[in-house]
């Protein structure tokens, strides 16, 4: 019995030891499993957070591309091919080749003036000679073959073990609007510089042109009381009056330009008979003709009614006739007009004066330009003619042969 009891106790103890060991193992396994689950849970949470950040980053990346109206592309350096990945440019006809297109196709699409430069820049970044790429060029559109402005940036993103580029990524954008703005700014700057130049020229010329008759008026007036002879006094008074008229014409020219360009003087459209109007303008210039010079009219038809600003047309014809009288020392001056055509008529003043060389025929309409600096005048008359002609929807021009004479014309709408 005692032996049986001892065996039974020993068996029970062994069973308890086994149970305790198994329980310990299970406990340790449970703890390890719990720790692993918590670690896996943290890793999963981090991965989910990373995916959420990636998703947010992709959304922001796409938003930036859309906002900047960019396209993205990458170059496979080994194959020398380009693939466009995303395109958010505003134009629908931008250059967009098939994936894996040769870089030669890209270069060929460039404007002739840009091809060599773009090819050189691409070769330099592909060879690793430089890390960045930035070029502005014109490239052919995919629809009508016209060219548009594009600006591109690129950088090397992947290199081999020797540091040679493997992949280049870049972006491009259309910059037509910016180029138009730059062009407009350049034009505005040139106009401002030209305006400043003209202002300086105006002041210099006016000071000279006003001083000349003014000095004559002051000088002759100061000596007039000391002159006793009637003939000599009469001659001096004539010179004073002549210089008074010169000064008045200069001031009138300046006032006319100022009024027209400020837009304060409105057009006054009047219907009148052109033949009688031309005769009345002619009569005012007959006393100023040089000896041996004739002034006549040549009308295409017996009567022609026109509707325009009479005062401005009178001013134009007066300037043209004054120039013809001034530069014609022999021969004739003829004023007339051609047959009306499509609601317009061309009036002209033809003379047998000095004529104008071809290189000066356009410049004579510039302010203060004078072919002959020794001939009196401010150089404003023809500039005023053009400005006034433009204001009534017309134009002026000249046909001339040096040494034979000139034919100045003004083309106007007549209704």
């Amino acid at each position: 019995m005692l032996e049986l009891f001892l065996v039974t106790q020993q068996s029970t103890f062994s069973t308890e030891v086994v149970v305790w060991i198994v329980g310990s193992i299970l406990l340790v396994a449970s703890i390890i499993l719990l720790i692993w689950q918590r670690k896996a849970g943290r890793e999963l949470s981090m991965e989910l957070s990373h995916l959420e950040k990636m998703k947010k980053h992709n959304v922001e990346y796409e938003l930036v591309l859309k906002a900047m109206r960019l396209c993205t592309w990458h170059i496979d350096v080994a194959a020398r091919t380009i693939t466009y990945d995303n395109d958010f440019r505003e134009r629908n006809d931008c250059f967009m080749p098939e994936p894996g297109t040769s870089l030669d196709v890209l270069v060929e699409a460039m404007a002739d003036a840009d091809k060599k430069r773009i090819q050189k820049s691409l070769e330099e970044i592909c060879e690793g000679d430089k890390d960045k790429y930035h070029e502005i060029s014109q490239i052919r559109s995919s629809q009508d073959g016209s060219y548009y402005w594009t600006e591109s940036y690129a950088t090397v993103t992947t290199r081999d073990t020797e540091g040679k580029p493997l992949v280049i990524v870049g972006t491009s954008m259309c910059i037509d609007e910016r180029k138009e703005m730059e062009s407009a700014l350049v034009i505005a700057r040139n106009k401002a510089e030209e305006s400043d130049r003209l202002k300086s020229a105006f002041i210099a010329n006016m000071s000279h042109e006003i001083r000349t008759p003014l000095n004559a008026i002051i000088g002759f007036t100061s000596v007039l009381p000391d002159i006793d002879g009637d003939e000599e006094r009469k001659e001096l008074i004539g010179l004073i009056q002549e210089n008074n008229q010169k000064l008045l014409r200069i001031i009138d020219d300046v006032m006319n330009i100022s009024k027209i360009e400020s837009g304060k003087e409105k057009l006054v459209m009047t219907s009148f008979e052109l033949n009688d109007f031309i005769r009345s303008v002619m009569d005012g210039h007959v006393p100023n003709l040089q000896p041996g010079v004739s002034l006549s009219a040549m009308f295409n038809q017996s009567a022609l009614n026109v509707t325009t600003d009479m005062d401005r047309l009178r001013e134009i014809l007066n300037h043209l006739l004054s120039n013809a009288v001034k530069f014609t020392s022999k021969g004739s001056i003829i004023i007339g007009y051609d047959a009306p055509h499509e609601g317009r008529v061309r009036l002209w003043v033809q003379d047998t004066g000095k004529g104008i060389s071809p290189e000066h025929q356009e410049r004579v309409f510039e302010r203060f330009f004078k072919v002959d600096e020794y001939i009196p005048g401010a150089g404003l008359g023809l500039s005023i003619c053009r400005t006034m002609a433009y204001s009534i929807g017309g134009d002026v021009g000249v046909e001339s042969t040096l040494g034979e004479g000139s034919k100045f014309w003004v083309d106007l709408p007549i209704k």
Side-chain angles (χ1 to χ4, degrees):
M1 291 294 291
L2 180 59
E3 291 179 358
L4 179 63
F5 175 78
L6 291 173
V7 171
T8 303
Q9 289 293 327
Q10 187 176 1
S11 177
T12 303
F13 177 76
S14 299
T15 302
E16 289 177 352
V17 170
V18 171
V19 171
W20 184 82
I21 292 173
V22 172
S24 297
I25 293 172
L26 290 174
L27 179 61
V28 172
S30 298
I31 292 172
I32 292 173
L33 180 62
L34 181 61
I35 293 172
W36 180 82
Q37 285 179 338
R38 291 188 65 181
K39 184 179 179 181
R42 285 197 299 269
E43 290 178 353
L44 180 60
S45 177
M46 289 176 64
E47 288 180 3
L48 289 173
S49 176
H50 182 65
L51 287 173
E52 188 65 29
K53 288 181 179 179
M54 287 292 293
K55 182 180 178 181
K56 181 180 179 183
H57 175 74
N58 288 337
V59 171
E60 292 174 349
Y61 173 70
E62 184 173 327
L63 180 62
V64 170
L65 292 179
K66 287 181 178 178
M68 296 297 294
R69 298 176 181 176
L70 299 172
C71 76
T72 60
W73 43 266
H74 69 271
I75 294 175
D76 183 337
V77 177
R80 290 294 198 273
T81 59
I82 185 170
T83 299
Y84 282 72
D85 304 306
N86 300 285
D87 188 6
F88 297 102
R89 292 171 292 186
E90 66 273 20
R91 292 176 64 115
N92 297 322
D93 60 346
C94 291
F95 178 77
M96 191 73 175
E98 294 294 325
T101 297
S102 171
L103 287 178
D104 293 337
V105 176
L106 173 65
V107 173
E108 190 60 32
M110 297 292 171
D112 291 339
D114 301 321
K115 286 180 180 179
K116 289 184 179 179
R117 174 170 49 85
I118 298 300
Q119 187 174 28
K120 180 181 178 182
S121 294
L122 287 172
E123 194 63 29
E124 286 176 348
I125 193 171
C126 287
E127 290 295 327
D129 296 335
K130 62 181 183 180
D131 296 328
K132 306 293 183 183
Y133 171 92
H134 176 218
E135 292 291 346
I136 296 175
S137 60
Q138 285 185 294
I139 189 168
R140 188 168 57 245
S141 70
S142 59
Q143 292 182 5
D144 58 6
S146 61
Y147 287 88
Y148 64 93
W149 284 99
T150 182
E151 184 173 16
S152 299
Y153 295 86
T155 187
V156 178
T157 58
T158 307
R159 297 178 183 271
D160 61 16
T161 56
E162 297 179 355
K164 293 292 185 179
L166 291 176
V167 179
I168 299 168
V169 297
T171 64
S172 297
M173 68 174 73
C174 300
I175 57 170
D176 284 336
E177 291 182 2
R178 192 175 85 191
K179 281 295 182 179
E180 290 175 2
M181 188 180 300
E182 289 175 358
S183 179
L185 287 173
V186 169
I187 293 172
R189 183 197 65 190
N190 292 340
K191 285 184 177 179
E193 292 175 351
E194 179 66 9
S195 176
D196 187 62
R197 185 190 69 80
L198 288 174
K199 180 184 71 174
S200 300
F202 175 82
I203 293 172
N205 279 278
M206 282 298 95
S207 62
H208 171 73
E209 294 298 333
I210 291 175
R211 189 185 297 116
T212 301
L214 196 58
N215 285 339
I217 293 170
I218 294 172
F220 292 143
T221 303
S222 63
V223 300
L224 189 61
D226 300 328
I227 302 300
D228 295 328
D230 291 341
E231 288 297 324
E232 193 172 355
R233 286 177 64 87
K234 184 177 179 181
E235 183 179 354
L236 284 178
I237 291 173
L239 290 173
I240 292 171
Q241 290 176 342
E242 180 182 340
N243 282 279
N244 279 338
Q245 292 299 317
K246 289 180 181 178
L247 187 60
L248 182 61
R249 280 197 301 270
I250 293 171
I251 295 173
D252 283 342
D253 288 345
V254 174
M255 293 299 294
N256 285 331
I257 290 177
S258 177
K259 287 178 182 178
I260 293 171
E261 294 192 345
S262 67
K264 293 182 179 179
E265 189 174 14
K266 296 182 179 179
L267 294 176
V268 180
M269 307 305 285
T270 307
S271 295
F272 55 92
E273 203 283 312
L274 187 59
N275 294 7
D276 292 339
F277 174 79
I278 291 176
R279 290 190 186 96
S280 68
V281 175
M282 282 176 54
D283 291 342
H285 294 272
V286 172
N288 301 323
L289 291 171
Q290 298 186 43
V293 178
S294 63
L295 175 60
S296 60
M298 182 181 296
F299 301 141
N300 184 269
Q301 50 196 65
S302 58
L304 177 63
N305 290 319
V306 299
T307 300
T308 188
D309 189 306
M310 183 186 294
D311 291 335
R312 296 195 182 190
L313 181 56
R314 186 188 304 277
E315 191 74 23
I316 293 170
L317 293 181
N318 275 328
H319 277 295
L320 297 184
L321 281 171
S322 292
N323 279 347
V325 170
K326 186 188 303 182
F327 291 101
T328 305
S329 57
K330 60 180 180 179
S332 63
I333 300 171
I334 304 173
I335 183 172
Y337 60 86
D338 297 330
H341 179 66
E342 295 182 353
R344 302 182 71 86
V345 64
R346 172 168 292 193
L347 291 79
W348 43 264
V349 175
Q350 184 171 351
D351 63 59
T352 57
K354 294 182 176 181
I356 305 169
S357 60
E359 64 269 21
H360 291 152
Q361 289 181 15
E362 183 60 29
R363 293 202 64 196
V364 293
F365 295 100
E366 297 177 7
R367 292 180 188 177
F368 307 116
F369 180 80
K370 296 170 67 175
V371 176
D372 189 345
E373 292 292 338
Y374 297 100
I375 299 296
L380 288 173
L382 292 176
S383 174
I384 292 174
C385 287
R386 174 162 283 181
T387 303
M388 287 190 169
Y390 286 165
S391 71
I392 55 178
D395 195 8
V396 294
V398 62
E399 301 165 7
S400 184
T401 301
L402 191 62
E404 296 183 10
S406 303
K407 183 178 183 180
F408 283 87
W409 53 263
V410 52
D411 186 77
L412 299 171
I414 57 177
K415 292 184 181 180

